[in-house]
Amino acid sequence: MKYLITGANGQLATEFRKSFEANTSIEVLALSKDKLDITDVKSLEDVILNFKPNIIINCAAYNDVDGAESERDIAFKINCEGPGFLAKFAYKIGALLVHYSTDYVFDGTKEDFYTEEDEPNPLSVYGKSKLEGEKAIISETDNYLIFRVSWVFGEGRQNFFYKLSQWMQKNRVIKIVSDQVSIPCYSEDIVKVTRRAIDKGLKGLFHLTNSGYASRYEVARFYVDISGKDNLILPVATSYFKTPAQRPYFSALSNKRISKILEIEIPHWKNALERYVKRGIQDKKYDTLF
Ligand SMILES: NC(=O)c1ccc[n+]([C@@H]2O[C@H](COP(=O)([O-])OP(=O)(O)OC[C@H]3O[C@@H](n4cnc5c(N)ncnc54)[C@H](OP(=O)(O)O)[C@@H]3O)[C@@H](O)[C@H]2O)c1
């Protein structure tokens, strides 16, 4: 089997690279943005038609939720146009395209877990660009796996716990919003479930999260506790911080469908966070390829 991984220096891609390391029957070509820009259609075509992967895992994304408000075109190019190109070439060579979307496609007003049947209504440019990315893929191929994930954490710096650990070193008292509720998702668990879904030949769009739910405030408190620190975490409302992007109030995704189909129980986010802290990668720099 041949796998192509894009955005290879990101958190999820790093976890995929590690999970494939021991597997000699799988040939992996993992390319960072410097080697393969997914918005560069010519380079994409060259790489995909030459390497001819069986499976393409797209880990490339524009994830700066606030930045997207002023960089709309860049966000749409990376989160929508690029995935569309990938789907087109994947279809051409009969490859499966695995792609990740977000809970921010929902507006957070449902007051219950979001299922795959719920109608998206993104509040931010980032959410809109990711939703259009899903549509771009679905319009090009039916050989896809799209997983909506939330609050991804793993090895790398584009996550809440890296930022929190930086703030904790500088300040004892930290204010964290208590009116944004979702589910922290561990890269290790996302990779395990994705690989199982691939092995089972699953196709379609699924919600893939750890179990449970929590506010950013609750998550931060739990993180401080298990890190053995004495920082004080105070709850504040979203309105306390003036951020360019609007974020949903309750955007927790239901993982029931994927759990049932794959006959698995996805660990609670607290269990995932404990494993992450034990692994000691929250302060680690990207394990970059190039
Ligand atoms: N992180 C989250 O909290 C979160 C939440 C919900 C959904 N997701 C989704 O989950 C997936 C994985 O996220 P992640 O946390 O692993 O993201 P990440 O750590 O930010 O990694 C994304 C990678 O994509 C690269 N990239 C950006 N533009 C590119 C381009 N034009 N061509 C190729 N590579 C490019 C980035 O490189 P540079 O760093 O050099 O720009 C980075 O290495 C993404 O689809 C993301 O939207 C993430």
Side-chain angles (χ1 to χ4, degrees):
M1 289 294 276
K2 287 160 87 174
Y3 280 69
L4 171 67
I5 301 176
T6 60
N9 283 341
Q11 321 188 69
L12 202 50
T14 301
E15 200 69 52
F16 270 113
R17 288 197 273 127
K18 293 201 164 146
S19 94
F20 286 130
E21 257 165 22
N23 200 329
T24 48
S25 63
I26 292 176
E27 191 182 342
V28 179
L29 178 62
L31 298 174
S32 65
K33 187 163 109 184
D34 296 348
K35 303 278 170 189
L36 181 63
D37 180 336
I38 65 157
T39 67
D40 178 347
V41 66
K42 185 77 193 74
S43 304
L44 266 190
E45 187 172 23
D46 283 352
V47 169
I48 293 174
L49 299 193
N50 281 315
F51 182 60
K52 293 199 177 58
N54 306 92
I55 296 168
I56 300 171
I57 303 182
N58 180 34
C59 294
Y62 180 103
N63 280 331
D64 181 350
V65 177
D66 287 318
E69 296 296 311
S70 54
E71 293 192 317
R72 188 189 176 90
D73 289 355
I74 301 174
F76 268 81
K77 257 182 167 282
I78 300 170
N79 290 342
C80 171
E81 229 177 86
F85 294 151
L86 277 167
K88 186 173 156 188
F89 298 127
Y91 179 77
K92 204 165 175 179
I93 60 160
L96 169 72
L97 176 61
V98 181
H99 175 78
Y100 297 87
S101 186
T102 171
D103 56 327
Y104 283 12
V105 299
F106 295 110
D107 62 20
T109 58
K110 181 181 174 186
E111 299 190 354
D112 201 344
F113 288 86
Y114 282 96
T115 71
E116 289 83 350
E117 280 72 43
D118 286 315
E119 200 56 46
N121 181 31
L123 301 174
S124 61
V125 171
Y126 166 76
K128 285 175 189 151
S129 70
K130 294 294 287 183
L131 179 61
E132 290 309 310
E134 295 177 1
K135 291 181 188 164
I137 290 171
I138 295 167
S139 71
E140 294 286 354
T141 179
D142 52 9
N143 195 7
Y144 66 83
L145 265 173
I146 297 175
F147 294 111
R148 292 188 183 136
V149 296
S150 56
W151 298 1
V152 177
F153 65 99
E155 192 175 319
R157 296 184 169 185
Q158 188 56 34
N159 73 67
F160 181 60
F161 301 108
Y162 174 75
K163 288 175 196 155
L164 187 58
S165 65
Q166 296 297 297
W167 298 330
M168 282 163 62
Q169 283 172 27
K170 290 190 195 119
N171 308 294
R172 195 179 82 79
V173 181
I174 303 162
K175 294 189 174 81
I176 302 287
V177 297
S178 57
D179 55 357
Q180 285 174 34
V181 180
S182 190
I183 310 168
C185 294
Y186 189 20
S187 56
E188 191 174 84
D189 295 335
I190 297 174
V191 166
K192 274 191 192 149
V193 178
T194 301
R195 290 196 59 182
R196 195 176 169 102
I198 294 171
D199 291 347
K200 292 245 173 191
L202 209 61
K203 306 271 158 69
L205 185 150
F206 300 91
H207 291 176
L208 195 181
T209 62
N210 280 102
S211 297
Y213 66 94
S215 67
R216 292 260 188 209
Y217 163 72
E218 289 170 300
V219 168
R221 280 204 57 183
F222 186 71
Y223 180 75
V224 168
D225 286 349
I226 62 172
S227 303
K229 307 284 185 197
D230 72 342
N231 296 80
L232 186 65
I233 306 289
L234 299 181
V236 292
T238 290
S239 55
Y240 183 87
F241 301 105
K242 301 272 173 279
T243 56
Q246 201 186 338
R247 290 165 170 78
Y249 161 59
F250 187 94
S251 55
L253 305 171
S254 166
N255 64 20
K256 275 194 184 150
R257 188 161 169 235
I258 188 89
S259 303
K260 191 168 173 215
I261 293 174
L262 295 180
E263 298 173 272
I264 51 169
E265 233 176 81
I266 307 178
H268 196 279
W269 66 265
K270 285 189 177 177
N271 169 293
L273 197 54
E274 280 170 340
R275 280 180 282 129
Y276 168 74
V277 168
K278 256 196 205 134
R279 214 170 131 193
I281 54 171
Q282 64 271 31
D283 292 325
K284 209 172 159 203
K285 267 188 75 180
Y286 271 118
D287 182 8
T288 51
L289 274 176
F290 304 107

